[in-house]
Amino acid sequence: MTWSHPRGGFERRGYHHGNLREALVEATLALIAEKGPSAFTVAEAARLAGVSPGAPYRHFRDAEALIAEVALRGFERLAEALARAWGDGRSDPVDAFAALGRAYLTFARSEPAYYAAMFETRIAVEDYPPLAAASDRAFGLLRDAAERIAASLPARNRPPSLMMALHVWALSHGIASLFCRPDRARRPLPMAPEDLLEAAVLLYLQGLGLAGGPLPAAKGA
Amino acid sequence: MTWSHPRGGFERRGYHHGNLREALVEATLALIAEKGPSAFTVAEAARLAGVSPGAPYRHFRDAEALIAEVALRGFERLAEALARAWGDGRSDPVDAFAALGRAYLTFARSEPAYYAAMFETRIAVEDYPPLAAASDRAFGLLRDAAERIAASLPARNRPPSLMMALHVWALSHGIASLFCRPDRARRPLPMAPEDLLEAAVLLYLQGLGLAGGPLPAAKGA
DNA sequence: TGTACATCAGTGAACGCGCGTTCACTGATGTAC
DNA sequence: TGTACATCAGTGAACGCGCGTTCACTGATGTAC
C-alpha cells in the first residue's frame, strides 16, 4: 500500500490536505492495481485520499486527466528503467539490446498499475503533450540503442534503426501484454517470459548478421 | 451497423423476440466498436436489441458471460482467418508463416470489436471452458504451422515449434495492439504495420537459418 | 512583531443519471391428445 | 382439426447503488505592509 506511506499524503493536518495531488496519483495507482483501469473512479480515489468527492477537481480537469498524469509518470519510470538497462552502452551491444527488452518485461510485471494506465486505458497520448513527450523519450532510448547496434553492421546490411526499435518494442509489448499480466487474464506460458523474449531477440539479431552464437535453448519448454 | 440487418434480430414479431441471443451478441459488438469494452453495459445492449433491461438474463448469466460469448466467436473467426492464411501449407513455408502474422493483423483491424472482447476485457479464459478451447484451437494453428516449418530444418538446428509459435503470436499481438487499433489510442507508425511485421518475421526466420533472401527493405521508413 | 487581507484548497450537499439485477407477471408458442 | 395445457421468453416496475460534476461556502495559509 504505497499510499499509506507518510509521503503519500495521509497525514491530514486539518482543513487542507497539503499533498492531495500526490495522494490522488497514488490512490489511482492503488485502484488500478486492485481491479483494473475500468474500475477506477474519481470518487473512490478521493475517498482513498480522505477528501470529499469534489476535491480532486481542484487538481485535475477530469478523470482522464488524472489517468494521464499516472501514465506520464509511468513513461518516465519506464524510461529510467530502460536507461539503466542500457547502461552506458559499452557492454556487448547484443546483450544490451536484449537487456532493454527484459527491462520492459520487468517494468510491466513490477509496475502493472503504471503499465495499465499507459497501455490499457485507450487514452490518446497526443491529447496530453507532456504525456506524448514522455512516451517519445522512452521510445527514444530504444531508438538510440538500435542506432548503436545498427552502426556496428556493415553499411550495405544496415537495417533502419527505427525499424529495429519498433521490432523490439512490439515484441516486448506483445509478450508483456499476453504473459506478464498480474491478473487472471494472463495467458499460461510453459517458460519464463524473459527467456521467450531473449530467444526471439537473439534469433532476430542473428537474422541481421549479429550474434553469431549457437541457437538459444528455450529453457523450460 | 451489422445489427440492423434483418438477421440481426430486429424484426420483432410481438411479445417474443425470436432471436434475442444473436441480437445481444451483435449489440455488444456494436457497443464495443463504438466506445470500447468498458462502455458496454447490459442495459444498453438490451436497449439496442429492443427488449427490456431484464431480458438478457434469460440468455446470459451476467455481463461478463455475454462478453465471453463474443470473445468465443472472435476466436472462432480468428481461427478461420488463420486457417485460410495458412491454406494447405503447401506453399513456401516461410511465406506461409508470414501470412499467418498478416492475417492476425488483418483480423485485429477489420474486427476490432471482436479483438477487444478477446484481448482487452481482462476476461479469464479458463473461467469459460468453451472460450479456452476456442483460444487453444486458434493458437494450435500457429503451433501446427511452426511445426511444419521447424521440420524443414536440420534436426540439430531445429527450434521448439511451441517457441516459434509463441514468438509470432507475441510479435503480431504487439504490433496489432500498438499500431492497428481503430481508436485514437493507436500509436503513429511511419510504415504499414504489415510491412513492419513481415520484416521482423523474415529476419527471425533468417536467424533460424531459413529464408536466406536479402534483407527486407522497410518500405516507407 | 502584528494585523488585514487575498488566495484558494477542500467541504458537503445536491443534481440528474444510469447501472445490474430481481421478481411477480404476461402472453406467445408449440405439443399432447 | 381442435382444445387444453406446459413452457418459458420477455415485461416493466422496482431496489439500492454509485457515479461525475457543480457550487456556494468555509477556513487555513501566507503575504504585504
Side-chain angles (χ1 to χ4, degrees):
Chain A
M1 297 291 174
T2 313
W3 41 264
S4 68
H5 187 276
R7 289 189 50 78
F10 269 83
E11 299 200 317
R12 296 296 305 280
R13 289 187 293 272
Y15 194 89
H16 288 103
H17 185 285
N19 203 13
L20 182 54
R21 189 178 178 90
E22 291 303 310
L24 287 171
V25 166
E26 294 181 8
T28 301
L29 281 168
L31 289 172
I32 292 175
E34 195 184 345
K35 289 180 296 177
S38 63
F40 155 81
T41 65
V42 173
E44 196 161 0
R47 215 173 296 129
L48 265 185
V51 294
S52 70
Y57 296 91
R58 293 281 167 196
H59 298 273
F60 298 98
R61 188 170 48 78
D62 55 19
E64 194 185 68
L66 178 43
I67 297 275
E69 173 70 22
V70 172
L72 164 62
R73 294 172 186 223
F75 277 109
E76 288 170 348
R77 281 175 175 244
L78 175 60
E80 288 164 16
L82 293 176
R84 271 195 304 274
W86 175 247
D88 52 10
R90 274 182 298 185
S91 55
D92 174 36
V94 173
D95 289 349
F97 205 49
L100 284 178
R102 267 199 306 278
Y104 195 97
L105 296 195
T106 300
F107 179 81
R109 190 168 14 219
S110 64
E111 302 284 8
Y114 279 118
Y115 192 81
M118 294 153 69
F119 294 115
E120 295 169 20
T121 56
R122 299 198 151 206
I123 202 169
V125 294
E126 63 256 44
D127 288 348
Y128 300 86
L131 176 57
S135 170
D136 288 348
R137 275 194 301 276
F139 179 69
L141 290 166
L142 291 184
R143 182 88 202 263
D144 292 346
E147 185 73 46
R148 286 280 289 274
I149 292 170
S152 72
L153 283 167
R156 62 175 191 87
N157 274 356
R158 199 171 291 160
S161 63
L162 172 61
M163 185 190 76
M164 291 177 65
L166 289 167
H167 282 158
V168 73
W169 185 20
L171 186 61
S172 305
H173 187 77
I175 291 176
S177 297
L178 292 169
F179 306 120
C180 297
R181 309 182 61 87
D183 53 35
R184 302 192 57 240
R186 180 179 58 246
R187 311 268 160 169
L189 187 70
M191 65 190 80
E194 282 76 7
D195 292 340
L196 182 69
L197 176 65
E198 183 175 334
V201 171
L202 250 62
L203 287 166
Y204 176 81
L205 292 176
Q206 278 179 27
L208 281 170
L210 284 158
L215 277 180
K219 301 160 198 167
Chain B
M1 296 289 175
T2 312
W3 42 265
S4 67
H5 187 276
R7 290 188 50 77
F10 270 83
E11 299 201 318
R12 296 296 304 280
R13 289 187 293 272
Y15 195 89
H16 288 104
H17 185 285
N19 202 14
L20 182 54
R21 189 178 178 89
E22 291 304 310
L24 287 171
V25 166
E26 294 182 7
T28 301
L29 280 167
L31 289 172
I32 292 176
E34 196 184 346
K35 288 180 297 177
S38 62
F40 155 81
T41 66
V42 173
E44 196 160 0
R47 215 173 296 129
L48 266 184
V51 295
S52 71
Y57 296 91
R58 293 280 168 197
H59 298 273
F60 298 97
R61 188 171 47 80
D62 55 19
E64 195 185 66
L66 178 43
I67 298 275
E69 173 70 22
V70 172
L72 164 61
R73 295 173 185 221
F75 276 109
E76 288 169 347
R77 282 176 173 242
L78 174 61
E80 288 164 17
L82 293 177
R84 270 196 303 276
W86 175 248
D88 52 11
R90 274 182 297 185
S91 56
D92 174 36
V94 172
D95 289 348
F97 205 50
L100 284 178
R102 266 199 306 278
Y104 195 97
L105 296 195
T106 301
F107 178 82
R109 192 169 10 221
S110 64
E111 301 285 7
Y114 279 117
Y115 192 81
M118 294 153 69
F119 294 115
E120 295 170 20
T121 57
R122 298 197 153 208
I123 203 169
V125 294
E126 62 257 45
D127 289 348
Y128 300 86
L131 175 57
S135 170
D136 287 348
R137 275 195 299 277
F139 179 68
L141 290 166
L142 292 183
R143 183 87 202 263
D144 292 346
E147 186 72 45
R148 287 280 290 273
I149 292 171
S152 72
L153 283 167
R156 61 175 191 85
N157 275 355
R158 199 171 291 160
S161 63
L162 172 60
M163 184 190 77
M164 291 176 64
L166 289 167
H167 282 158
V168 74
W169 185 19
L171 185 62
S172 304
H173 187 77
I175 291 176
S177 297
L178 292 169
F179 307 120
C180 296
R181 309 181 62 87
D183 53 36
R184 302 193 58 241
R186 181 180 57 247
R187 310 269 160 169
L189 187 69
M191 65 190 79
E194 282 76 7
D195 292 340
L196 183 68
L197 175 64
E198 183 175 334
V201 171
L202 249 63
L203 287 166
Y204 175 81
L205 292 176
Q206 278 179 27
L208 280 171
L210 284 158
L215 277 178
K219 301 161 197 166

